Amino acid sequence: MVLRIAIQSKGRLFEESMALLGEAGIKMNNIKRTLLIPAKDFPVEVLFLRDDDIPQAVATGVADIGIVGENEFVEKNEVSDIIKRLGFSKCRLSLAIPKDENYSDIKWFEGKKIATSYPHILNKYMQENGVKSEIHVISGSVEISPSIGLSDAIFDIVSSGGTLVSNRLKEVEVVMRSEALLIATKGLSQEKRDILDELIFRIEAVQSAEGKKYVLLNAPEDKLDEIFDILPGMRSPTVTPLATKGWCSVQSVIEDKRFWEVITKLKASGAEGIIVLPIEKMIL
């Protein structure tokens, strides 16, 4: 029994999806120019598709599961189960207008022409806000539409906003925020569900370790309570007595973003021999 997973064939979502699978111990050879390839040492095969084909492939059972951008999942409006939000490939779908236009509220779009590759999401948003606009469906290079007179505004993916700036556009309404989703076809067999559960277990072990460091240090026993306040671990720090009387070894996990703040406080509290290690996986 093999679980088939659909993944975008190129782009940032492809790279991040393959990196996640690799970290989860699911590796493949010869992925270039191959539509369907099996994983090594794990009952999964990967089907490479266009991002906008993945929702239908999963909904119809061509693939058992898929990693897809939430924007494409919502736009295609196919029936599948959302298994897990993956937290990467984040972006937003926004309305943008020419930089020199004055903008007050959503009513600005009344009667305007809007170019987009996401007509379903845009139409729903406009209906919810009581605005009637002309929606022009375009595939690719949506951002140039206002400059060539094809539309008054655009509705498109925004990541950093650099593309808008280079085309003299400004973002005025964020309609939805998107990230990568793990989706599954309805009615998976128990055998395939078991494989999926193991895959989710591995993914969560990888993601739990992201942005965290493992810290080992020596500390005097009379300073332990103070150090515990600095080092909140998964539940509590691990403490082991040392051969030197009155001293202990302390082990814990800290967030990378607080690294220097925590280390400074530990030193001030009498900690010595501090060792910091990266974490590849963390099983909670």
Side-chain angles (χ1 to χ4, degrees), residues 141-156:
S141 301
V142 172
E143 64 276 357
I144 69 170
S145 299
S147 65
I148 61 176
L150 190 60
S151 69
D152 301 301
I154 69 166
F155 176 60
D156 202 16

Side-chain angles (χ1 to χ4, degrees), residues 95-99 101 103 108-109 152-153 168-170 172:
L95 285 158
I97 66 175
K99 182 180 178 181
E101 288 283 344
Y103 183 81
W108 184 93
F109 291 96
D152 301 301
R168 297 186 57 79
L169 299 172
K170 61 183 179 182
V172 293

Side-chain angles (χ1 to χ4, degrees), residues 5-8 13 16-18 20-21 51 54 58 65-69 86 88 180-183 203:
I5 177 171
I7 288 179
Q8 184 172 316
L13 186 55
E16 293 181 317
S17 298
M18 296 305 293
L20 177 62
L21 292 181
D51 57 347
I54 294 176
V58 174
I65 63 173
I67 297 178
V68 65
L86 297 174
F88 57 80
L181 302 176
L182 179 63
I183 61 174
I203 288 173

Side-chain angles (χ1 to χ4, degrees), residues 114-119 122 135-139 142 145 153-156:
I114 307 173
T116 187
S117 300
Y118 301 93
L122 179 57
I135 298 176
H136 290 248
V137 181
I138 296 176
S139 298
V142 172
S145 299
I154 69 166
F155 176 60
D156 202 16

